[in-house]
Each structure stands twice: as structure tokens, then as C-alpha cells.
């Protein structure tokens, strides 16, 4: 290809190559020639414009070529690139600037040029919105270059370009573009994460854009873009990576960390206040601690969002927990219903959900305080042990050490595992009719459940769990409490698969001892073989299987 | 005030009678005669010495620090510090050096010399008489000391006196006074002297040297052999013995070669006829070769034979009464006893009592060795990242049982084959005939097998005539499939049995591992068969499982490994989608392995597999529910004996009931997690729907007509209710029974309320019965419930240590409890001390040598000076003379002139 094009076209060619838009090598030779011809014309027109002002009409020709020559879906990028170069040159040369002492004719020319420029910008935005992915990306790059040129060389228009002018259009087009995933990630990679000023203006655009109610799809895109800004500047951060050359004047908001954070905070709040779907809410909650909160100068502004999420119940509440707890702990948020709410989160599905470990970690923090009332802690203990009766072994394995730790830090609750009765009347009553569980499972308030009067029969029953390791763990509550505390982290994150592989190993190893075999070979396994011998009574193992199932066919 | 030093000196001199009135000449002469003079002189010298010491304050070194608590400390070392006299020690050392080092210095680079080693020769203090007495005393003492210990016969007076180097013994032996040993001894001594300036030679040493020589003399009185002679003799002897040995060996070789030559003929004899084997003596030929015919020898041999026979007969076992045949009752009792011990072992395993402790310890150790102590590891939990395989910790009793089983076999005494047969068929304890039936009913009578075994190549007619009698023992499943390709499924048990019979371990040593492989192949095959679309008969599956069981008794590792491999396959490939083969395998686990064990290498993972399915599987169709029902059934069946609780079982059963219930049960049942099926599986209560027993293959039925689907639903409800019913019985003694079954009770109540009038009465009755039963059990549980009192432990004592007291404690000593370290420290201290001493000595030696060298040099210089002066004087004299003569000459000339 380098043999075909001249040295003058080098820069353009590189551009094309870089964008990978037109692959001329694959074109047949004839078409190549036509293409060659077209580029030559464009080049000629461009050169003329540079040469003299009298050829400015060529701009219009080129614009028409950009729009007219091909359909909207397939814009002529060569033209677009050429136009971009022309406009950048013009802007740099000050031809789009209105001088106060200019003649009438010159003013007309400037006005005309401005109009053409606007037209060109519109065309680019259209491309971004509607064209194919590869064209979109090129158009994005061109518009950004144009915006840069305008911001750099047209004094006073800087903020205009970024806030209301070209960049606003670009941003909106970016968000609204159909099938623009690659475009957006390109934007994120090339601009948002590279240049801090672009990030700054993007935050502002998001704030404006998300102020209105948007549909979930658009919000999804906004969240994607904003969540990519996960590197929060440190207080003493120096802003050096800038798209437009920055003026080193005082009070430039682009140079202040506070201003950046403020914009980010506004943008996030605008999004959080919008109508979020449930999965989006969960997604945001999940990235709350590491992505969102660091941007906030005043995290308490998240309060509304968090309390709303916490009140909505289910796994959303689970996810809101940590954020809320942070606010309570650090920012003095008053949330009197925190523990009752936490208690209500302990429902049947909790132990089966994938957030189980996360919840246990948090709950360990919440219940760590030794100043909590014993009744409340007892309620948690009792409820957890109730849940353990229906829980998978992986959850029981976490519950029991957790209960152990609670009992250890709240010795008043140890009545639940050891209650010596001295009252004679009560003993007599117990002998006569036994007792019911005093615990009220339906009570919502954890301080009123009467759990402390109850005993942990459930955990005791789990001491005969089918899995030997789980049974061994359940047995810790009936042994002496010599260990200070169990490290809960060691008991979380178990899975059935992990436990099975732990039992079976990935490959067979020789046995240390020969495995025991049942000494009696049963007379029957599936069939009623030789039943008459036992006088029709089936006592061999698996009798129930044979009774309930028909293996005859 | 004390008088002046001079006055004190005078006074003390007077006191010691050193100064005194002059003695008269008469007195002097008398004293000289009586020797008192000398005595006086010695006395005076001693007194003078004392006075000198007393008056020289610099001779005594004052202690650096004054002694603390001088009265309290009784240590002699501390008291002795006052008396350090550096001058004396210095002069002593100087003297010693002059005696040793200086001598060496002088004799340096000089060779030879004679050392006088006679007793007291260098001692000027001894008189000749004393010397002689001393020598005699030593000689006799040494003799006494050396010999008395072992000298039994006190033959002679050993004391030999010498005169002028000649023995003064009267035996007339000329005894050379010159002895090698002596010389070498003295050489040694000289060497020692040069080695260490410190070491002094002692008289005793010297005496020892002399003594050795004497001893030698006495042992060889005739002539003392020189060392060279002795060595020569020794070498000659050893050569002689060696030669003899070689000769004997060669003889043996010859004999063996001869025997080898005759081996073929021996073989002929052995193979040709059995009778001559006994007569053709193995030894005979060689004996004949060695021993020529000799009548006397024959008679001797006969005698010996006779003796042998006699001995044999005396030691031969006397005939004893055989063991009494046991009566039926005794047999039953024995059997009961055996079963009881087995049951005890099972119970122990169920409680996880034995082996588990050590297992736990191992785990604890493992966790200890980890850098980060993991609390969970103690309980055998490990994250999948660091998998460690837990191996079985059970007692083994199987082989003992098998032996006993074989013994109880009634035909055990017959023949080897029959005995084996008893073992092959794994004589089941309770019924011989039953086992026979197992083997015979499907194949051929016992006699047939015997014939097959004894003549494996011969053909045999049987009812399934098309079956071959010999099969190769397959090593892989594919191989087995190839073997049974053309065989009817019905004949499979026969084939398996024949393979087992043909490859009985007693027939060939390789058969053991062949059968072990075969057992693993069978495990694979069972699941393979059940997965086939043609749905094999359960009779055959059952038979194969029973075969596996019986093989498992002999090859537990292989069978367990095969089962574990299958479980692993389930766990990794289809944890929530079980195939019929998997169900058959899991059923096999139920019967083959003791499911009640606290921990078992096969049943524990199998249990986990089942529970995982129940806990996590999605329910989308009736077949899912059917599989689930089967698994729930298996699960509960596993726990029949151990009565362990399975939370997943309850969850699954109740969920299933919720799904199948004709109307949705609205009330939330406490803590039960509910799952929603993707499509409704509710029972529609058709009028003619009746209960039927669910068939195993319902788990595969995907296309069901509406009516049969309803029938299946109804049956499934019945099934789950009966499962819950069964579980309630099983777990009725658990302390949290009420909490366990609360949800079940509620569900069943709602279920029975949701039934329409015209529903199957069987279902209605069953539901009601179950509800009533649960209520009854609830009330029982209520009466038996007590508050928990788990911590009736004896309070833990604080660890105490008895202090160890040392009697006669001495603060100067080190009481190191570590013996080795104490020893080491002691040695170190000693080494340090010695090193310091040696350094000091060396330094002093060097100083001494330097001093001596200087002295010598000065002497030399003085001599030189003297010589120089003399020569100068000579020359000057000469010159003077010459000058004078010259002058004289001049004068003469002048005079002449």
C-alpha cells in the first residue's frame, strides 16, 4: 500500500490504518484504482483549501461528499478525516475567530465557516449514533480531536465546548448509540481513563443527563461508564494527564481534587436517585464500598439510597448492610431498626443464598460488640440454630463456630447450652409434662423472643449429622470452652463440591487401612428373593426400598 | 610504736640465734665432729629464709580486693589468696625452665647423647645406700604389683638383683642387661620431653617401662622370639589354613559336579514312575561315591537308622480324640457370639470411637504444621485448594470372619477343591444351602464345578450348553464387554461365577490380583448395565452386586476404590443429574458397605453425594421427583441403624409435597427454604386416579399420558409421606424432634385439607395417619424434653509445676538440667582455662628464651671484646716493640755515624 500512496498522504494513511476502517489490500485492483482516484480528489480539494481562502467552497463540496456520496450507514471516512484536518487547521489558524476589526466580508466568511463546522459536527454525531461500530469509533476520535482543537484555540469557548457544546453532543450520542458497547469501551479506554479532564467533564455530563428520568437500558450504560472511573485521586494528587493543555492558574477546578470528587459525587447521586431496576441496585450495592464510596466527600449522602435498599428486603438488604453499617459507625447515622431488620434477614433462604459468607462476615462485625443486650444475642443464636436444622452442611459448618464465638463473648447466653435447675417445683413440672420451647420464632423484635430461656436443642440434634465432620463441629458446644474464639474465616466458603473432593480426592490413593465391608451378604437387594424363607418378613437392609419401589420390570 | 626496721632485724636475728656469742674453738671442733655443724647450718639457712620473707613486703602479693565476710566463707581458695607469693612462683618457674627448656635449647640441633636413667642418679640428696635401697624396693614392689593379680602359682622368687649390670641370680642364665624395650622406652621418653616442657618424667613411669621388659623375659624363658619371627610364624600358619580351606572347597565342587552329572537320570526316575522315586535315594549316589562298601560301616548305618526310627516313634504324635462334633445349639451359640462381636465392632465404628482419635490427631498435626493455623482443619474440613484425602480409619475384621466361615463349612474336611469351593462361594454364615442356591440355581451343580476345576480343559454338558466353561479374567471393562458380547444377559451371572471359579486364588498366585481387577470391572459393569436402554432385569443386577459383595470381602481396597472412582465421577460430571447406573451403584453402597459407620471411605462421600442432590437439584419434572424420591429413600435407608439426621432430606420431601399439593400452600413454614418448579406439577385429583407402587424405571419415563402422570403424582405424594413417616420414627428420639418436623406437620395438615372429597382414600388415610403419628410423637418429645445441660464437665485445673529443690545448693556451681549442655560448658571452661595457662606458659618460655639468648649474647660480646682487646694489645705491643727496635736501629745508625 505504501507503494500506491504518496508521502503526502502518509499521515492520513496511518490514521486509516490505526482505525482499521478501510482495508484496501483486500479490494480488487479495479476498485482499488477507483478508491485511489477518490482519495486523490479529496487530497486535491484539501490542498486547495489550505492553499487559498478562495477555495473554501471546497469544504461544502467535501461535506456533500461526506453525506451525499454514500448512504448514512457507510460514511466516507476519508472525507471525514480530511475535513477534520481542515477544520483543525482553520481553528488553529484563527479563521473561525471573529475579529472585532474584521471587514463585513470576513465576518460573513467566519460565520459561513462556523456554520459549516456545525454541520460537520452534526454529521459526525449522526455517524456516532447510527453507523457501524468501526465508523463510530473513528467518528468519536474525530469529534474528540475537533473538540480539543476548539477548546485549545478558541478562547472563552473552552467551557462551552465541554459543557454544552460539542462534547455534550458527543456524550449523548455515545450513550444513545445503538449497539455501542465497543464504542463505549473504546471511549472509556482511550479518553475516560486516560485523561482526567475528560473524566471531569464526563461526570458533569452524567449529572445533567441522569437528572431526568431515564429508562433502565440507558442507566445501565451510564452505570457502566461511571463505574469504570474507579481510580480515585488521592488528596495530594497532581493532575498531569490532561487532554487539553491546562492553564496553571489558581482556582482551576480541573486541578483540584475536591472539585473532581464533587463532580463524581454529583454524578453518582444523580444515578442513584434515578429509577433503578433491582439487578442494577444490587450491582451498585456490590460496588458500593470499593468504587462508589471513595468518590464521596460526604458519604452520608448515600444514606437515602442505602436505607431504601435495606428496607426493600431480600438479598438487596444483605448487600446494603455493609454500607449502612459504615454510615452508622462512622457518620453517626441513626437507624434504630438496624438489629430488628438484621434479625428479619435471617430467613429460610439466607443459608442457601450465595451471599451467605458475606453475610456471616458482616454479622460477625455487627454482633462483635459486648455491649449488646444478651436477649438480642440469644435471639440471633437461637434463630441461627433453628435455621441450621434446614441448612446444608456448608452452612452448619459456619453457624456452629459463630454461635460458639457469640456464647464466648456473651457468657450470659451460655444458659442456652447449660441450665442447671434448682427450683423444685419446676423440676417436678418437667418430670410430669416436659416442656415446650419458650422461644417464639414469629416474634419480629429480637429483644422479645424469649430465646434466652430456651436451649439449643437444634445444635445438639445436629451432633448426629450424617457428615462426620459437621457432627464433630456441632460437638464443640458440648465440650469445654477452652478455645478463645474460632476464626470464622476458616469455616466460610465451603461448598458441596469442595467437601466431596476433600473426601474423595482428585485421584485414588492407597488406603491406610482396608475399608470395612458389611459382613453379611444380603439375601436380596432389589427383588423379593427367598422371602418365604424369612416367613415373608423382610428384615434385610434396604427393606423400605423394596417395600416402596417396584423393581419387577 | 614499733621499733625501726634495722632494730627489728637485729632482734629477730638474735631470736633465731643467728647472731650470738662466738663459739669457742673447742666447741667448733666438737660440733664438726658430731655433724651438728651441718645441722646448724641448715637450721640457720631456714631461719634466714624466714626472716627474709618476713622483712620483704614485696614478696607477698596482697589480694586485689579485701575478702568479704571473711569469717563466713570457709572456702580455702579464698583464704589462700593472702599467701600468694609471686616471687617464689616466678623463681620456681625459672628454675624449672632452666632445668628443661634451657637444656633443650642447648641440645637443639644436636643428635644423640646419653641419658642416665638410673634411679636417683641425678638426685644429689640421696646417699648411695639410700639409692640402692630405693632401687631394691622399687624392683620388688613392681613385681608384686604386676604379677599378684593373675599369678596363680607362685613359682619363684622373682626379685633379681644386679650388680654391675650383671644378674646376680644363681640359675646361671646370662641375662643381658641391655634391652630393646629399655632403649625404645628411653627414646620415647626423650620424645616426650621434647614434646612438652611441662611434663616431667616420673619414676613410676620409668619403672613401668622396665617392668614390661621383665615380663617378656619370663613368658619365654628359653629364647625370646623376635617380632619378625613371630610374624613369620603367624603368616605361615594362616597360609596353611587357607590352603586347607581351598582344598575342602575344591572337594565340594567336585562332588557337586558329579551330582549334577547324574541329575538327568534322576529326573528320568522321578518322571518315569512314582514308585522308584521313593526308592531311588537322592543321597545314595553321592554316598556311594564317597563311602566305599564296607560291612562295618553298613552296620553302623543300620544302627543309626534304628536309632532314628526309635526317636521318631518316641516323638510321634499320639493319637488323640478328635474334636467333638458340635451340637446344633452350640453352633447357634457360636454363631450368635460371632454376630455379637461383629455388631459390637459396628457400633464402635458408628460412634466413631476407634481409630478416629488418631485420625483426629493426624489432622491436628497437619494443621499444626501449617504456617497459618486453620481452625476448620481440626474438624477435617479443608478448602478444595488444599485437598487432603481422608482415609478410612476402621477396624478390620473381615479376614478373620472369612476364616471362621470357611471352618464352619460342613464339607471343609473333604478335599482341597471342595474346601476352596466353600471359600469361593463365600459361605454365608446363616445358610449353606442358600449360597449353594445362589451358585447352583443359575449354573451347574457343585460336582460340575469340581470337575471343571480338576480338569479345566475337558468339555462339560450343562443346561446352558452354549456357554463356554473357560473365560479369560478381564482386566478392563472394555475387555469384559468383549467377552460377554455374545452372551445373553440372563447368563451373565453364570459367566461371572465361572470366571471367579476358574481364577480362584488357590489355583494360581496371579489370580489374586486378576480377581481384584475383575471386581473393579464388575462395579463398572453394574452401572453400565443399568444405564443401557434395554433395562436389564434387577435379578441380574442384584446377583452381580452380590458377587461384588462377596469379592469385596477378599479385595476390599479394589472394590472400595472402584466405588470411590464412580462417586468421584458423579461428583465432578453430573452432581445434580443422576443416571440409573448411579442409583444402582449407590444402592450397592447401601448393601456392601456399613452405612452406619461414623466415617467410612465410601459411605461418607456417597452420603454427601446423595445429600447434595437433595439439597441442590432443580425439580422440573416428575422424573426429577421420582429420582429424588429414590435418592431420599436411599438416604434414609443409609441411616436406619445410625439414625443420623439429614437436613436435606426433610427439605426435599417437604418441597416435593409443596409442589405436588393440589393447591398452593400459602403459609410459610418457618425456616423451610422453598423452591419453585419451572412448571406446575400439582396433582389434579382425577377421580379414578389410584395409588400404585412406583416402579424404578419411572425415573426415566419422560412421556407420560395425563392420567398416568396423575397416577405417578399421587403415588409420589404417598411415597414422600411414607418417607416422612419413616424418618419420624427414625429421629423421634432427637432432642429437636419438634423443630425438625414442625414444618412437615404443617405441610401435611394443609395437604390433607387441600384434598377433594373424591381423592384416593389410600392417600387420605395415609396422610391422616402420618399427621396423627407426628402429633403423638410431638407430645412424646414434649414430655421428654429438658433444658440442655451440656456442661457438667469437671472444671479444668490450672496446670501446676512442682518446683525442683536442690539440696546443698552452691551458687558457684552451675545446675544445668540439660546434661549435655552442662558437660559442654564444663569442657568449654576447661578448654579456656587450659588455653590461658598454655598461653601464659608459652609467653614466659619465650621471655626466658629471650633472656637466655641475651645473656648468651652478652657473654659472647664480652668474650669478643676481650679477645679484641687482647689482640689490639698484642698488636700494639708488637708495634711498640717494632718502634722501639726501629728507634734503636736509628740510634744505632746514628751512633754508627
Amino acid at each position: 500500500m505504501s507503494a500506491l500512496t504518496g508521502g503526502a498522504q502518509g499521515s492520513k494513511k496511518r490514521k486509516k490504518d490505526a482505525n482499521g476502517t478501510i482495508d484496501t489490500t483486500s479490494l480488487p485492483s479495479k476498485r482499488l484504482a477507483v478508491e485511489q482516484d477518490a482519495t486523490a480528489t479529496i487530497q486535491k480539494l484539501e490542498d486547495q483549501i489550505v492553499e487559498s481562502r478562495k477555495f473554501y467552497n471546497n469544504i461544502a463540496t467535501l461535506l456533500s461528499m461526506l453525506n451525499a456520496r454514500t448512504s448514512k450507514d457507510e460514511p466516507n471516512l476519508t472525507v471525514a478525516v480530511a475535513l477534520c484536518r481542515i477544520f483543525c487547521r482553520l481553528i488553529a489558524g484563527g479563521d473561525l475567530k471573529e475579529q472585532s476589526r474584521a471587514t463585513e466580508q470576513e465576518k460573513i466568511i467566519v460565520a459561513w465557516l462556523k456554520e459549516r463546522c456545525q454541520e460537520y459536527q452534526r454529521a459526525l454525531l449522526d455517524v456516532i449514533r447510527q453507523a457501524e461500530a468501526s465508523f463510530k469509533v473513528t467518528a468519536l476520535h474525530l469529534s474528540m480531536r475537533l473538540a480539543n482543537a476548539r477548546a485549545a484555540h478558541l478562547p472563552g469557548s473552552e467551557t462551552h465546548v465541554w459543557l454544552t457544546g460539542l462534547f455534550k453532543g458527543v456524550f449523548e450520542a455515545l450513550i444513545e448509540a445503538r449497539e455501542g458497547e465497543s464504542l463505549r469501551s473504546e471511549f472509556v479506554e482511550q479518553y475516560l481513563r486516560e485523561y482526567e479532564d475528560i473524566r471531569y467533564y464526563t461526570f458533569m455530563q452524567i449529572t445533567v443527563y441522569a437528572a431526568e428520568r431515564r429508562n433502565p437500558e440507558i442507566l445501565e450504560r451510564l452505570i457502566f461508564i461511571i463505574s469504570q472511573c474507579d481510580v480515585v485521586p488521592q488528596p495530594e494528587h497532581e493532575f498531569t494527564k490532561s487532554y487539553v493543555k491546562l492553564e496553571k492558574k489558581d482556582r482551576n477546578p480541573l486541578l483540584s481534587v475536591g472539585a473532581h470528587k464533587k463532580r463524581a459525587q454529583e454524578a453518582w447521586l444523580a444515578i442513584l436517585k434515578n429509577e433503578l431496576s433491582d439487578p442494577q441496585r444490587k450491582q451498585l450495592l456490590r460496588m458500593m464500598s470499593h468504587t462508589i464510596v471513595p468518590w464521596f466527600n460526604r458519604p452520608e449522602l448515600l444514606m437515602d439510597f442505602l436505607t431504601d435498599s435495606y428496607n426493600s428486603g431480600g438479598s438487596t438488604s444483605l448487600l446494603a448492610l455493609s454500607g449502612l453499617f459504615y454510615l452508622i459507625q462512622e457518620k453517626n447515622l441513626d437507624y434504630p431498626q438496624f438489629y430488628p431488620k438484621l434479625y428479619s434477614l435471617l430467613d429460610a433462604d439466607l443459608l442457601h443464598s450465595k451471599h451467605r459468607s458475606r453475610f456471616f462476615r458482616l454479622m460477625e462485625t455487627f454482633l462483635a460488640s459486648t455491649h449488646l443486650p444478651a436477649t438480642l444475642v440469644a435471639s440471633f443464636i437461637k434463630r441461627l440454630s433453628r435455621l441450621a436444622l434446614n441448612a446444608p452442611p456448608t452452612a452448619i459448618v459456619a453457624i456452629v463456630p459463630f454461635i460458639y464465638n457469640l456464647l464466648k463473648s456473651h457468657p450470659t447466653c451460655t444458659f442456652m447450652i447449660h441450665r442447671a435447675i434448682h427450683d423444685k417445683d419446676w423440676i417436678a413440672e418437667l418430670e410430669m409434662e416436659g416442656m415446650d420451647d419458650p422461644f417464639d420464632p414469629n416474634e419480629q423484635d429480637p429483644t422479645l423472643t424469649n430465646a434466652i430461656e430456651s436451649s439449643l436443642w437444634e445444635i445438639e440434634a445436629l451432633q448426629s449429622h450424617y457428615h462426620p465432620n459437621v457432627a464433630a463441629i456441632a460437638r464443640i458446644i458440648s465440650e469445654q470452652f477452652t478455645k478463645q474464639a474460632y476464626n470464622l474465616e476458616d469455616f466460610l466458603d465451603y461448598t458441596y463440591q469442595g467437601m466431596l473432593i476433600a473426601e474423595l480426592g482428585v485421584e485414588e490413593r492407597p488406603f491406610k487401612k482396608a475399608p470395612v465391608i458389611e459382613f453379611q451378604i444380603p439375601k436380596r437387594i432389589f427383588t423379593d428373593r427367598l422371602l418365604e424363607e424369612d416367613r415373608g418378613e423382610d428384615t434385610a437392609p434396604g427393606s423400605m426400598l423394596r417395600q416402596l419401589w417396584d423393581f419387577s420390570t | 610504736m614499733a621499733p625501726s626496721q634495722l632494730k627489728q632485724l637485729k632482734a629477730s636475728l638474735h631470736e633465731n640465734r643467728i647472731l650470738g656469742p662466738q663459739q669457742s674453738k673447742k666447741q667448733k671442733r666438737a660440733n664438726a665432729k658430731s655433724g651438728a655443724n651441718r645441722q646448724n647450718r641448715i637450721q640457720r639457712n631456714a631461719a634466714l629464709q624466714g626472716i627474709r620473707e618476713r622483712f620483704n613486703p614485696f614478696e607477698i602479693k596482697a589480694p586485689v580486693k579485701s575478702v568479704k565476710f571473711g569469717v563466713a566463707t570457709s572456702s580455702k581458695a579464698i583464704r589462700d589468696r593472702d599467701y600468694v607469693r609471686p616471687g617464689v612462683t616466678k623463681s620456681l618457674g625459672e628454675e624449672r625452665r632452666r632445668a628443661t627448656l634451657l637444656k633443650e635449647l642447648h641440645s637443639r640441633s644436636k643428635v644423640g647423647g646419653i641419658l642416665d636413667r638410673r634411679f636417683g642418679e641425678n638426685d644429689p640428696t640421696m646417699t648411695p645406700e639410700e639409692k640402692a635401697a630405693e632401687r631394691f624396693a622399687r624392683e620388688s614392689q613392681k613385681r608384686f604389683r604386676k604379677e599378684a593379680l593373675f599369678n596363680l602359682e607362685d613359682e619363684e622368687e622373682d626379685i633379681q638383683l644386679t650388680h654391675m649390670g650383671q644378674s646376680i641370680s644363681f640359675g646361671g642364665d646370662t641375662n643381658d642387661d641391655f634391652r630393646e624395650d629399655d632403649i625404645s622406652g628411653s627414646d620415647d621418653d626423650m620424645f616426650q620431653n621434647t614434646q612438652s616442657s611441662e611434663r616431667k618424667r616420673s619414676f613410676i613411669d620409668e619403672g613401668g617401662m622396665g617392668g614390661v621388659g621383665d615380663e617378656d623375659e619370663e613368658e619365654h624363658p628359653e629364647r625370646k622370639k623376635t617380632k619378625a619371627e613371630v610374624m613369620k610364624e603367624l603368616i605361615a600358619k594362616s597360609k596353611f589354613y587357607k590352603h586347607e580351606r581351598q582344598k575342602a572347597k575344591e572337594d565340594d565342587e567336585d562332588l557337586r559336579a558329579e551330582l549334577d552329572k547324574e541329575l538327568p537320570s534322576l529326573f528320568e526316575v522321578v518322571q518315569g514312575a512314582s514308585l522308584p522315586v521313593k526308592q531311588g535315594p537322592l543321597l545314595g549316589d553321592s554316598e556311594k561315591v564317597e563311602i566305599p562298601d564296607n560291612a562295618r560301616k553298613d552296620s553302623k548305618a543300620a544302627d543309626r537308622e534304628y536309632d532314628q526310627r526309635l526317636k521318631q516313634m518316641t516323638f510321634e504324635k499320639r493319637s488323640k480324640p478328635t474334636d467333638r462334633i458340635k451340637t446344633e445349639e452350640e453352633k447357634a451359640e457360636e454363631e450368635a457370639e460371632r454376630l455379637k462381636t461383629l455388631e459390637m465392632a459396628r457400633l464402635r465404628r458408628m460412634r466413631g470411637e476407634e481409630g478416629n482419635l488418631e485420625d483426629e490427631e493426624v489432622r491436628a498435626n497437619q494443621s499444626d504444621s501449617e504456617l497459618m493455623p486453620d481452625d476448620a482443619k481440626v474438624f477435617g474440613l479443608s478448602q478444595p485448594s488444599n485437598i487432603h484425602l481422608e482415609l478410612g480409619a476402621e477396624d478390620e475384621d473381615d479376614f478373620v470372619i472369612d476364616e471362621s466361615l470357611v471352618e464352619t463349612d460342613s464339607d471343609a474336611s473333604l478335599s482341597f477343591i471342595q474346601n476352596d469351593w466353600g471359600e469361593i462361594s463365600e459361605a454365608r454364615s446363616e445358610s449353606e444351602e442358600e449360597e449353594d442356591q445362589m451358585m447352583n440355581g443359575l449354573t451347574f451343580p457343585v460336582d460340575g464345578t469340581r470337575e471343571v476345576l480338576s480338569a479345566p480343559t475337558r468339555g462339560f454338558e450343562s443346561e446352558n450348553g452354549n456357554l463356554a466353561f473357560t473365560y479369560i479374567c478381564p482386566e478392563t471393562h472394555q475387555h469384559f464387554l468383549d467377552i460377554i458380547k455374545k452372551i445373553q444377559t440372563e447368563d451373565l451371572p453364570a459367566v461371572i461365577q465361572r470366571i471367579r471359579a476358574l481364577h480362584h486364588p488357590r489355583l494360581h498366585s496371579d489370580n489374586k490380583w486378576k480377581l481384584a481387577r475383575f471386581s473393579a470391572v464388575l462395579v463398572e459393569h453394574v452401572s453400565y448395565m443399568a444405564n443401557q436402554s434395554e433395562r436389564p432385569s434387577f435379578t441380574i443386577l442384584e446377583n452381580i452386586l452380590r458377587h461384588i459383595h462377596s469379592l469385596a470381602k477378599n479385595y476390599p481396597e479394589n472394590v472400595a476404590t472402584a466405588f470411590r472412582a464412580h462417586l468421584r465421577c458423579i461428583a465432578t460430571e453430573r452432581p445434580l443429574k443422576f443416571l440409573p447406573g448411579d442409583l444402582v451403584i449407590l444402592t450397592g453402597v447401601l448393601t456392601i458397605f456399613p452405612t452406619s459407620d461414623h466415617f467410612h471411605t465410601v459411605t461418607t462421600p456417597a452420603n454427601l453425594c446423595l445429600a447434595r442432590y437433595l439439597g441442590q437439584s432443580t425439580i422440573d419434572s416428575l422424573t426429577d421427583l421420582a429420582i429424588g424420591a429414590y435418592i431420599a429413600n436411599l438416604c434414609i435407608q443409609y441411616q436406619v441403624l445410625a439414625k443420623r439426621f439429614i437436613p436435606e432430606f426433610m427439605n426435599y420431601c417437604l418441597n416435593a409435597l409443596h409442589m405436588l399439593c393440589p393447591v398452593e400452600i400459602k403459609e410459610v413454614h418457618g425456616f423451610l427454604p422453598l423452591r419453585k418448579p419451572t412448571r406446575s406439577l400439582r396433582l389434579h385429583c382425577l377421580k379414578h386416579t389410584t395409588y400404585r407402587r412406583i416402579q424404578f424405571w419411572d425415573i426415566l419415563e419422560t412421556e407420560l399420558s395425563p392420567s398416568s402422570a396423575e397416577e405417578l403424582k399421587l403415588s409420589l405424594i404417598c411415597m414422600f409421606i411414607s418417607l416422612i413417616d419413616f424418618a419420624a420414627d427414625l429421629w423421634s428420639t432427637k432432642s429437636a424432634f419438634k423443630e425438625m418436623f414442625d414444618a412437615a406437620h404443617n405441610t401435611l395438615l394443609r395437604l390433607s385439607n387441600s384434598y377433594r372429597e373424591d381423592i384416593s382414600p389410600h392417600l387420605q388415610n395415609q396422610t391422616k395417619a402420618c399427621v396423627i403419628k407426628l402429633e403423638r410423637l410431638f407430645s412424646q418429645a414434649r414430655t421428654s424434653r429438658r433444658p440442655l445441660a451440656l456442661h457438667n464437665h469437671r472444671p479444668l485445673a490450672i496446670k501446676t509445676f512442682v518446683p525442683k529443690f536442690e539440696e546443698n545448693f552452691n551458687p558457684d556451681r552451675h545446675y544445668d538440667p540439660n546434661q549435655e549442655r552442662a558437660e559442654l560448658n564444663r569442657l568449654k571452661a576447661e578448654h579456656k582455662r587450659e588455653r590461658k595457662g598454655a598461653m601464659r606458659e608459652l609467653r614466659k618460655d619465650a621471655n626466658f628464651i629471650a633472656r637466655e639468648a641475651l645473656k648468651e649474647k652478652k657473654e659472647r660480646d664480652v668474650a669478643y671484646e676481650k679477645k679484641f682487646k687482647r689482640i689490639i694489645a698484642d698488636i700494639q705491643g708488637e708495634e711498640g716493640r717494632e718502634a722501639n727496635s726501629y728507634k734503636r736501629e736509628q740510634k744505632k745508625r746514628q751512633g754508627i755515624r
Side-chain angles (χ1 to χ4, degrees), chain A residues 317-368:
Chain A
S317 308
L318 278 183
L319 291 168
L321 260 180
S322 57
L324 203 58
F325 188 73
Y326 168 78
L327 290 184
I328 292 172
Q329 211 179 19
E330 300 289 323
K331 301 289 171 188
N332 254 340
L333 176 73
D334 192 19
Y335 193 79
Q337 288 300 300
F338 183 76
Y339 281 102
K341 194 77 203 167
L342 185 68
Y343 185 66
S344 72
L345 283 182
L346 289 173
D347 61 6
D349 295 322
L350 171 80
L351 297 179
H352 298 264
S353 84
K354 59 184 169 195
H355 302 299
R356 186 181 65 216
S357 303
R358 190 189 161 107
F359 183 76
F360 268 107
R361 282 189 193 104
L362 289 172
M363 201 154 67
E364 197 186 17
T365 332
F366 302 155
L367 297 177

Side-chain angles (χ1 to χ4, degrees), chain B residues 49-95:
Chain B
Q49 188 65 33
I51 291 166
R52 261 187 222 119
E53 276 171 18
R54 193 142 30 97
F55 280 83
N56 188 359
F58 305 107
E59 273 295 283
I60 296 165
K61 191 180 172 191
V64 183
K65 271 195 238 166
S66 61
V67 183
K68 265 185 183 176
F69 313 121
V71 185
T73 48
S74 57
S75 172
K76 192 169 173 283
I78 292 169
R79 266 189 292 128
D80 280 351
R81 275 206 294 195
D82 294 339
Y83 301 99
V84 173
R85 288 186 296 183
V88 176
T89 43
K90 200 184 271 174
S91 68
L92 268 179
E94 191 79 8
E95 208 162 303

Side-chain angles (χ1 to χ4, degrees), chain B residues 264 422 477 529 576 632 674 692:
Chain B
H477 186 222
M529 266 178 77
L576 305 177
L674 283 180
R692 68 171 170 90

